[in-house]
Amino acid sequence: MVSCWMDEFELSTNFKSLTASQKEDSRSIADFFATCMYNYEGVGPSGWDQNSLTSCCLNILPGKISEGEQFFKNVEPVLSQFFIFLGEKNVISNGIKLAKYLKQISKDMIKAAADPSNWGSAKTFVMSAINAGVDLSNEDALDKYMKQYNQQIFAIRTTNYPRIGRNDPCMCGSGKKFKKCCGS
């Protein structure tokens, strides 16, 4: 559905008001937003409101979307114009209200997206690969980096936890010996 709306949106005056960078990111932004709203908030366009917008833009998108600062700077202008467009098409009833609210929270979204403590494990890995200069389109390079990354994570985790003996109680709390439980 979003794809159909985007086809119309790209012909609108709302779209024409965007910068070249915003236009380039617009389909991804609209698709990520609509998908996250549906998959994580359980709402389609008729259910988009300030609460679901807050959750999506301050938690879900910043934690899951592996993009840089410029992409997140483009989210507010793109979605604002998209919301207004959908309101004018009577797809949603609160387009202007959502656009105004998004403008209020956009700086917090940009900050949240840049803060690694907000990232999920997949975004943490991808952003680490990007920062290491890995070409994400090169499957071999990505695979090699993933192996190195996993070794580093394993080394960190194993040095931060005491070694558990085979006959020690299992750390999962089952009451069984480690060798008969998680260690098998």
Side-chain angles (χ1 to χ4, degrees), residues 10-165:
E10 288 174 348
L11 300 173
S12 72
T13 55
N14 305 83
F15 183 79
K16 290 178 180 145
S17 71
L18 300 174
T19 67
S21 173
Q22 293 162 354
K23 289 175 182 176
E24 185 178 321
D25 288 340
S26 64
R27 279 196 181 259
S28 296
I29 290 169
D31 186 49
F32 287 148
F33 175 78
T35 300
C36 288
M37 287 292 269
Y38 184 77
N39 289 340
Y40 296 97
E41 292 298 310
V43 294
S46 62
W48 294 350
D49 60 15
Q50 285 185 348
N51 289 334
S52 59
L53 184 67
T54 300
S55 177
C56 189
C57 291
L58 296 184
N59 299 315
I60 299 165
L61 292 176
K64 298 199 175 294
I65 305 302
S66 301
E67 294 286 348
E69 182 180 14
Q70 187 56 53
F71 181 87
F72 282 94
K73 285 181 177 180
N74 288 344
V75 169
E76 183 272 320
V78 169
L79 284 183
S80 291
Q81 289 303 316
F82 190 55
F83 293 154
I84 293 167
F85 168 79
L86 292 177
E88 291 168 354
K89 293 294 216 177
N90 294 316
V91 173
I92 60 175
S93 61
N94 55 350
I96 292 173
K97 185 177 177 181
L98 290 176
K100 286 180 181 177
Y101 183 67
L102 182 57
K103 190 168 192 72
Q104 292 174 17
I105 65 170
S106 66
K107 287 182 182 169
D108 290 334
M109 175 184 57
I110 294 164
K111 270 198 260 181
D115 183 354
S117 70
N118 295 323
W119 300 350
S121 58
K123 181 173 181 175
T124 299
F125 168 74
V126 171
M127 297 306 284
S128 174
I130 290 169
N131 289 336
V134 176
D135 177 4
L136 299 180
S137 65
N138 181 330
E139 194 174 323
D140 291 334
L142 192 57
D143 187 51
K144 181 180 176 184
Y145 182 76
M146 185 178 354
K147 288 175 183 170
Q148 291 172 347
Y149 180 84
N150 286 338
Q151 287 173 343
Q152 289 172 344
I153 296 300
F154 180 75
I156 290 167
R157 289 187 178 157
T158 56
T159 57
N160 289 339
Y161 296 101
R163 180 143 172 90
I164 296 173

